Amino acid sequence: MVQQYQSPVRVYKHPFALVMLAYERRFPTCPQIPVFVGCDVTLDEESQDGSIRTTERKCKLNVEAPYILKKIIGVDYVYFIQKNILDRRNSKLEIEAWNESFATRVSVIEKCRYFVHPENPEWTCFEQTASLDIKNFFGFENSMEKLAMKQYAQNIAKGKEIIEYFINELKKEGVTHVAPWVDPEKAQSPVDEKTMEKDETTKDVKSESATTKLPSINKIQQLSSDYIERYLGKLDLMQESRLVQLRQSMQELRGSSVPNDSTLLRFLRGREFIVEKAKDMLTQSLHWRKKYQIDKLLDEYEAPQVVKDYFPGGWHHSDKDGRPLYILRLGQMDVKGLLKSIGEDELLLLALHICEEGLLLMEEATTLLGHPVSQWCLLIDLEGLNMRHLWRPGIKALLRIIEIVEANYPETMGRVLIIRAPRCFPILWTLISTFIHENTRNKFIFYCGTDYQEQVEGGLTDYIDPEYIPDFLGGPSETNLTENGTVPKNLYKIDFENPTSDNGHSLYNSISLSHGQVHHVAINTNDVGAVLTWDFDVMRHNVIFTVLHEKNTDNIDTEKATTSEVSINDFDGKETLLKEWKEGVNCVKVEPSVVCHDGESIQGTHIVQEPGTYVLQWKNPDEGEFLPSISAHKAQLMYFHEVLPSAHYRGSMMSLQSAVSSKSFASSSLSR
């Protein structure tokens, strides 16, 4: 496998001639690089006018390898040939080095270049590329590759420091300036003012021509090592190299229309610094942004009034690392109401607008704080979360948002703080976590249990300054988030009454119940730990809802739950051949009865504790039973139910329900 490295541009704030003198001080030995034992000059010649100097050296390097490996390869030293071509006229030094030892087994090629900064003639730039190809090395290819890259990385890291060291040594000796090379012929020829003026004009043209061949100031700034550390953060050798390679690859593909370096770095991190994968991901994202005009979102997006009035989220200061902090009170969010009033596409647009705001705030934070801020922090309050948030269209919309955000905003999430997670949260987490990239999942921190205030004092303040703890969590900082709660039904515009599944059948069932009539949904299961879920809307009248259990394991499929449905007329005394379930007779109640009023939307869940038949029961009550009958009209309702297999929850179902510690991490307790 060929390992390749391409450095960012390193800038020495010293003139070229002075840097060259310091560079010569590195030879014949360099104490700062212990593996560089010494060198012999095998060629040193200059052109007739002295403008070109060519030097070749045979360099001796110590093999820093385990003793056993040294014994196997039979050498303590390896030799490299280094060829330098110094072009004094154009102030440029080009270096090429390759290995002489083991040349048939290993190929190492390094190319370096020193040149004058295109916009500041008093500065000098340095860049380098290298490739390592270990073809056959006594069966130690992987070991040698790791050793070679490790040693190379150490030497690269010291390279700039060494030049600075020798420049300082020269200054101690009183050498602060080295006169640039002058063409001997021009130095000896008398010139008049017109000739000088002509030469100056020619010089300007040549300078302009030379500049066009060198990286522009914009490129120098964006790819300099100082720029990377200041605006992007500390990167290791290969990460710097991959960033340079991706930028050059994107420039070849898109010309000047290349995203900024922080964006390139995010996509590289999102694909483990594999350049080709990052390039493919970024290219697809750029097509997506163009197709849907995402770049105009910040200027043109106007949140619907329903969002302004009922969406419980907003930006709130920053965390302790300077990351912009976004707060979402998901437990207070009326998912169904928002979807029915603005639709899935508008909710996605809202999420994308938040992401775009996050990018802008990160850029502002980087400028303000003087260090790179490339991610934002998300705090999600789950107080009030229940099964109504697992409404099927709502989950579908959430998964769509996650998929699009993961594909187009990789590595923008620095930390996700999940606050006041209730018992039903593992169900939601299991449904959505598989759609979240592992890098992002590992950034989730969960706070749960009953003594929440204690957790705030010992937990949240690890990540958020006490002065910025939100007021709804007992802190002093006002958030001004909406607390209006449920979206009024008169604002509904989208009809989710009859969504259809992939097979074209109705996802929701509609039934009518006469006065005193009961409807049962019987679910046979032997899957202990499975989760029964239900979601229904009472469209007319009042009903009583109950969940029952009959302990009967005969003929139950151990892999799947089987369902049957029946309506029973209790009020007219008619006999029925269909089975009837009655509390205290042949079954027990496992969830409290709920009186559901006209217009209510009910969601819920039950974890299977024992095998048998579980019954979802709706009843249009008799007069005087729980509540008076308001009329003789039939009750109408629309319902959906599902059994989620226990296999989806092993290792995660009880982790939050039984939590006693202040926090747990998704990577350790919820993702097994």
Side-chain angles (χ1 to χ4, degrees):
M1 179 179 177
V2 179
Q3 285 275 14
Q4 293 184 326
Y5 169 74
Q6 186 164 357
S7 77
V9 175
R10 304 180 189 278
V11 179
Y12 301 99
K13 297 181 180 181
H14 307 286
F16 178 80
L18 183 63
V19 171
M20 289 298 97
L21 187 59
Y23 174 78
E24 290 293 330
R25 290 288 185 100
R26 297 177 55 176
F27 304 101
T29 61
C30 185
Q32 288 77 13
I33 305 180
V35 296
F36 188 78
V37 179
C39 66
D40 296 319
V41 177
T42 59
L43 174 68
D44 191 3
E45 61 183 23
E46 291 190 0
S47 63
Q48 188 173 357
D49 62 359
S51 62
I52 303 294
R53 179 186 179 186
T54 303
T55 307
E56 282 192 9
R57 298 180 178 90
K58 186 174 182 178
C59 303
K60 184 179 180 181
L61 276 69
N62 183 32
V63 178
E64 285 200 348
Y67 174 76
I68 184 65
L69 188 55
K70 283 188 176 184
K71 295 294 287 183
I72 291 173
I73 63 178
V75 298
D76 289 326
Y77 303 101
V78 295
Y79 292 90
F80 275 75
I81 305 300
Q82 184 196 70
K83 182 178 181 180
N84 291 2
I85 299 177
L86 175 60
D87 183 349
R88 295 189 175 106
R89 176 174 282 108
N90 295 310
S91 299
K92 180 174 62 176
L93 172 65
E94 293 187 345
I95 306 168
E96 184 172 0
W98 62 92
N99 61 304
E100 184 179 66
S101 302
F102 305 109
T104 59
R105 297 177 180 273
V106 181
S107 175
V108 180
I109 300 175
E110 180 185 54
K111 295 183 179 181
C112 306
R113 187 164 70 106
Y114 289 87
F115 55 95
V116 176
H117 194 291
E119 294 295 327
N120 190 333
E122 297 301 309
W123 290 357
T124 304
C125 298
F126 172 73
E127 62 182 4
Q128 64 192 137
T129 62
S131 66
L132 169 67
D133 184 10
I134 300 182
K135 305 168 185 176
N136 180 6
F137 208 84
F138 312 103
F140 287 87
E141 290 80 10
N142 290 336
S143 298
M144 285 303 297
E145 183 177 283
K146 291 178 181 177
L147 283 169
M149 291 310 296
K150 178 181 178 182
Q151 191 60 59
Y152 187 68
Q154 292 173 351
N155 294 343
I156 292 298
K158 294 177 181 177
K160 186 175 181 181
E161 297 175 6
I162 292 171
I163 294 294
E164 295 286 358
Y165 170 79
F166 285 117
I167 287 176
N168 289 331
E169 289 295 304
L170 288 170
K171 289 181 178 179
K172 291 178 183 178
E173 298 171 11
V175 180
T176 59
H177 176 74
V178 178
W181 181 82
V182 178
D183 189 331
E185 294 183 2
K186 291 185 177 181
Q188 295 175 3
S189 302
V191 293
D192 55 23
E193 292 184 4
K194 290 185 178 180
T195 303
M196 290 181 61
E197 184 178 339
K198 181 178 180 181
D199 286 345
E200 287 297 323
T201 303
T202 304
K203 180 181 176 182
D204 290 341
V205 173
K206 288 184 177 179
S207 175
E208 182 179 351
S209 176
T211 302
T212 60
K213 296 179 182 179
L214 295 175
S216 66
I217 179 60
N218 187 48
K219 182 179 177 184
I220 290 292
Q221 289 177 338
Q222 290 189 340
L223 297 182
S224 73
S225 56
D226 293 339
Y227 167 86
I228 289 175
E229 187 167 350
R230 165 64 178 83
Y231 291 99
L232 304 178
K234 192 73 174 177
L235 302 179
D236 64 27
L237 170 80
M238 296 312 296
Q239 290 172 344
E240 285 183 347
S241 175
R242 299 294 187 259
L243 176 60
V244 175
Q245 291 176 37
L246 179 59
R247 167 159 281 282
Q248 292 185 347
S249 182
M250 293 301 296
Q251 283 177 331
E252 293 172 2
L253 185 67
R254 300 178 60 85
S256 60
S257 179
V258 177
N260 60 37
D261 297 302
S262 60
T263 299
L264 298 178
L265 187 57
R266 286 194 295 103
F267 279 83
L268 277 170
R269 285 175 171 149
R271 286 299 178 263
E272 289 74 42
F273 281 88
I274 301 174
V275 174
E276 283 305 313
K277 290 185 177 180
K279 178 183 175 182
D280 290 344
M281 184 185 188
L282 178 55
T283 301
Q284 292 297 322
S285 180
L286 292 175
H287 291 330
W288 170 81
R289 294 184 69 88
K290 183 176 181 179
K291 180 178 180 179
Y292 295 103
Q293 298 291 290
I294 303 300
D295 290 337
K296 298 180 180 180
L297 202 57
L298 283 176
D299 295 329
E300 298 182 357
Y301 176 77
E302 177 67 27
Q305 193 61 43
V306 172
V307 170
K308 295 177 181 178
D309 293 340
Y310 297 98
F311 183 75
W315 294 100
H316 179 76
H317 300 288
S318 60
D319 67 5
K320 283 190 171 182
D321 295 317
R323 300 181 180 117
L325 174 64
Y326 192 87
I327 296 177
L328 177 63
R329 300 194 67 181
L330 184 59
Q332 306 300 313
M333 181 173 163
D334 182 4
V335 179
K336 179 179 287 189
L338 284 169
L339 273 175
K340 285 193 171 188
S341 57
I342 64 174
E344 182 179 317
D345 288 345
E346 190 67 40
L347 196 62
L348 171 62
L349 206 57
L350 170 63
L352 297 179
H353 184 259
I354 292 170
C355 291
E356 290 294 306
E357 286 181 322
L359 295 178
L360 180 62
L361 290 172
M362 291 186 298
E363 187 176 322
E364 293 175 352
T366 296
T367 302
L368 179 65
L369 299 176
H371 64 77
V373 177
S374 59
Q375 297 174 320
W376 49 284
C377 180
L378 175 62
L379 186 151
I380 301 178
D381 177 29
L382 296 181
E383 183 186 47
L385 186 80
N386 54 48
M387 290 306 295
R388 66 186 170 86
H389 293 89
L390 292 182
W391 181 53
R392 178 59 67 89
I395 292 294
K396 174 176 171 288
L398 177 60
L399 295 181
R400 181 188 175 199
I401 290 172
I402 291 173
E403 180 182 15
I404 292 175
V405 169
E406 285 282 311
N408 297 285
Y409 301 90
E411 293 299 311
T412 54
M413 193 63 65
R415 184 180 294 122
V416 183
L417 304 171
I418 304 293
I419 305 298
R420 300 195 284 198
R423 288 178 175 266
C424 69
F425 175 67
I427 301 174
L428 180 62
W429 175 251
T430 303
L431 290 172
I432 67 172
S433 61
T434 55
F435 292 86
I436 301 174
H437 194 280
E438 182 180 1
N439 291 349
T440 305
R441 285 204 307 269
N442 292 336
K443 298 171 184 176
F444 278 67
I445 302 172
F446 299 89
Y447 289 81
C448 40
T450 55
D451 193 357
Y452 177 73
Q453 188 61 38
E454 180 181 344
Q455 293 180 28
V456 170
E457 295 172 357
L460 266 189
T461 51
D462 290 343
Y463 306 106
I464 302 174
D465 286 327
E467 62 180 308
Y468 295 147
I469 298 295
D471 48 9
F472 63 85
L473 296 178
S477 186
E478 293 186 10
T479 58
N480 298 318
L481 299 181
T482 179
E483 296 182 357
N484 288 341
T486 305
V487 178
K489 291 189 176 183
N490 65 321
L491 298 178
Y492 288 3
K493 298 177 182 177
I494 312 298
D495 182 16
F496 285 105
E497 299 290 321
N498 294 298
T500 57
S501 60
D502 293 338
N503 60 12
H505 294 94
S506 177
L507 183 64
Y508 284 76
N509 295 291
S510 297
I511 58 172
S512 296
L513 298 176
S514 300
H515 187 54
Q517 189 175 5
V518 179
H519 182 78
H520 293 119
V521 174
I523 303 159
N524 299 315
T525 182
N526 201 32
D527 186 10
V528 175
V531 181
L532 310 181
T533 69
W534 55 86
D535 173 18
F536 64 92
D537 284 0
V538 180
M539 303 169 69
R540 190 176 185 184
H541 211 289
N542 303 318
V543 297
I544 300 171
F545 176 71
T546 309
V547 181
L548 306 169
H549 175 231
E550 179 186 36
K551 295 182 180 180
N552 176 15
T553 60
D554 295 339
N555 300 320
I556 295 178
D557 190 330
T558 59
E559 296 296 328
K560 299 180 180 178
T562 60
T563 303
S564 59
E565 302 189 26
V566 58
S567 291
I568 306 292
N569 290 326
D570 289 342
F571 63 93
D572 59 4
K574 290 183 179 179
E575 294 290 334
T576 177
L577 298 177
L578 299 174
K579 185 167 183 178
E580 182 180 357
W581 292 272
K582 286 192 174 182
E583 180 186 357
V585 177
N586 56 355
C587 57
V588 295
K589 184 189 298 185
V590 292
E591 294 288 343
S593 296
V594 179
V595 179
C596 309
H597 300 273
D598 185 4
E600 283 191 317
S601 179
I602 307 295
Q603 293 81 29
T605 182
H606 178 80
I607 300 173
V608 173
Q609 302 293 336
E610 299 180 75
T613 301
Y614 287 81
V615 181
L616 308 181
Q617 175 184 279
W618 291 270
K619 183 177 182 179
N620 186 341
D622 290 323
E623 181 135 4
E625 183 178 6
F626 285 92
L627 73 171
S629 177
I630 59 175
S631 72
H633 292 300
K634 289 184 177 182
Q636 293 182 352
L637 59 96
M638 177 184 68
Y639 69 89
F640 167 79
H641 70 90
E642 187 173 19
V643 180
L644 306 176
S646 63
H648 293 175
Y649 301 97
R650 291 196 179 111
S652 68
M653 194 62 208
M654 302 306 295
S655 58
L656 288 181
Q657 294 183 0
S658 59
V660 293
S661 62
S662 65
K663 61 186 177 182
S664 60
F665 289 82
S667 56
S668 61
S669 63
L670 289 177
S671 300
R672 290 195 297 269

